[in-house]
Amino acid sequence: MELDLKGLGKKDMLALKNVKNERRKIIHDSSADPIFTQFLANEIASNLHPTIQYVKVAEILEAGKSAKTFVLIPDIDSGTKKLAYFRPGQYVCIQIQIEDGIYKRPYTISCSPKKAMDNKYTLTIKRRNQGIVSNYFIEKVKVGDTFSISGPKGNFYYEPIRDAKNIIAIAGGSGITPFISMAEAVMDGILDLHLTILYGARTKEDFLFFHRFEEMKKKSKRIQVEYILSEEDDENFISGFITKELIEKYMHKENSYFLCGPLSLYEKMNVLFKELNIPNKYIRYDSFFGRIDLNRNEEYNLTVLTGGKKITILCNTKETLLSSMEKNGILAPSQCHVGKCGFCRSKLKSGKVKMFDDALLEAEKGKKYIHPCATFPESDVVIELPF
Ligand code: FES
């Protein structure tokens, strides 16, 4: 190939000729010390987004009917000195060994991020049907116990660039935890927004953080909470379900809607949002799906291909493929446990499964990919893990 030097003047040619000497001089003058590789930016990034944090239970507080709040501090002996900052609404994924199984479960951080600056997180955990890890925490975990958690994850948080300042939060049962964190952050001056929480539960006893919310309501006009009881009557609370009129009561000119609760709540709210002509772009969902068909109780073989091995275990129709792998000590990749992050994505080699439609990305559909954390067996199944 011929070099086209047209357009280059004599000065350019001389400058080009000097490049070699200049380069030599720079190399000659530079320090002989090893190249610096630990940059402050990397250090800050790993403090903000650690892959793993070792924590110790410092305190356990009763948090209502069958629920406890666990105050966590860094487990310095295992190497964690500082807990990462988080945004209200984010979760951490706990990894814990229970008998022969290694389990990972996401739990929303239930305090204000200000606590993280004081090196503390709180997780509020409620006993659940079939909840191996939740029930283990309620019954067995004690002060001084240690375990590991991920860095803060998830994008169920208020984002000023995207969200309106008037937030209507709709919570069902233990789906209240992201909103107590947001409310605490408003009280601490970390979040600048107006938060109305429409909080549904079966009975009065099921409301978590009731007294704390009442305290906040008295102290700040920015926090409002309405309690809706579905299975109990009490003149101090709204009976029945969240209605269109109740949502309308708290709507401003611009609003964002945050939803967290069981599947039934999502289904009901979707109908109401359509009636209110609220576009999807203003609605944010977390996922606390209680989608197990409790009427089925069958067991199938689940064969897992991983790392050149083939392992067959039993999987019940009431549990996800991921949950039965964990119970049998198969450490499958996972993070969110609600079909959203894609960490557990695996190939379905054969068999029939029930997976929730919204658990797959568009690009994954029709390619025999599944998210085992949101998939239940309907026959003997063979899957291949990503590694
Ligand atoms: S663990 Fe996140 S999609 Fe399965």
Side-chain angles (χ1 to χ4, degrees), residues 124-350:
T124 302
I125 299 177
K126 194 165 194 271
R127 186 187 289 282
R128 292 160 69 105
N129 284 341
Q130 318 279 329
I132 296 171
V133 178
S134 299
N135 297 349
Y136 178 82
F137 263 79
I138 297 291
E139 287 160 20
K140 300 271 165 57
V141 169
K142 52 191 188 317
V143 170
D145 282 2
T146 56
F147 49 93
S148 67
I149 58 175
S150 68
K153 306 261 174 222
N155 53 14
F156 190 69
Y157 49 74
Y158 167 72
E159 175 53 72
I161 301 171
R162 174 195 55 204
D163 299 317
K165 276 200 177 200
N166 189 50
I167 302 284
I168 299 184
I170 296 168
S174 53
I176 191 67
T177 45
F179 305 128
I180 184 76
S181 176
M182 288 182 198
E184 294 285 10
V186 171
M187 297 301 288
D188 282 342
I190 292 172
L191 284 185
D192 175 21
L193 52 87
H194 191 284
L195 180 66
T196 299
I197 303 170
L198 308 181
Y199 184 10
R202 288 190 186 148
T203 66
K204 274 183 290 181
E205 284 191 323
D206 291 313
F207 288 128
L208 300 179
F209 313 113
F210 178 78
H211 297 293
R212 179 64 186 137
F213 279 133
E214 290 305 291
E215 221 171 68
M216 291 185 196
K217 278 163 65 180
K218 277 184 204 138
K219 286 188 185 156
S220 171
K221 286 200 165 42
R222 290 167 164 247
I223 308 284
Q224 281 166 304
V225 187
E226 290 273 19
Y227 304 93
I228 301 102
L229 283 172
S230 63
E231 291 181 9
E232 201 176 63
D233 282 327
D234 187 308
E235 58 187 28
N236 298 314
F237 299 98
I238 299 169
S239 291
F241 294 99
I242 295 165
T243 60
K244 200 171 128 188
E245 291 69 32
L246 186 61
I247 298 174
E248 273 173 329
K249 182 174 161 192
Y250 292 102
M251 280 164 80
H252 291 191
K253 199 165 161 234
E254 289 183 340
N255 310 282
S256 285
Y257 303 84
F258 280 60
L259 257 88
C260 188
L263 177 67
S264 54
L265 180 84
Y266 292 71
E267 287 170 341
K268 282 194 185 86
M269 287 307 121
N270 277 340
V271 174
L272 295 188
F273 288 149
K274 278 205 181 87
E275 286 175 22
L276 288 162
N277 286 322
I278 297 168
N280 268 342
K281 62 180 178 180
Y282 299 122
I283 307 168
R284 315 279 316 285
Y285 299 91
D286 196 357
S287 304
F288 270 63
F289 298 145
R291 303 187 183 189
I292 306 167
D293 181 356
L294 291 168
N295 296 319
R296 294 191 67 180
N297 189 10
E298 295 138 36
E299 272 188 337
Y300 293 109
N301 285 320
L302 166 62
T303 302
V304 184
L305 310 175
T306 174
K309 281 190 266 169
K310 184 175 174 183
I311 308 161
T312 300
I313 55 174
L314 284 178
C315 182
N316 194 288
T317 39
K318 287 183 187 173
E319 62 190 355
T320 62
L321 305 187
L322 179 65
S323 166
S324 55
M325 284 191 277
E326 288 179 333
K327 217 156 79 182
N328 286 277
I330 302 173
L331 195 53
S334 71
Q335 207 164 77
C336 69
H337 277 244
V338 288
K340 293 288 177 193
C341 71
F343 247 70
C344 66
R345 192 179 73 159
S346 305
K347 267 264 184 213
L348 177 66
K349 304 295 270 186
S350 67

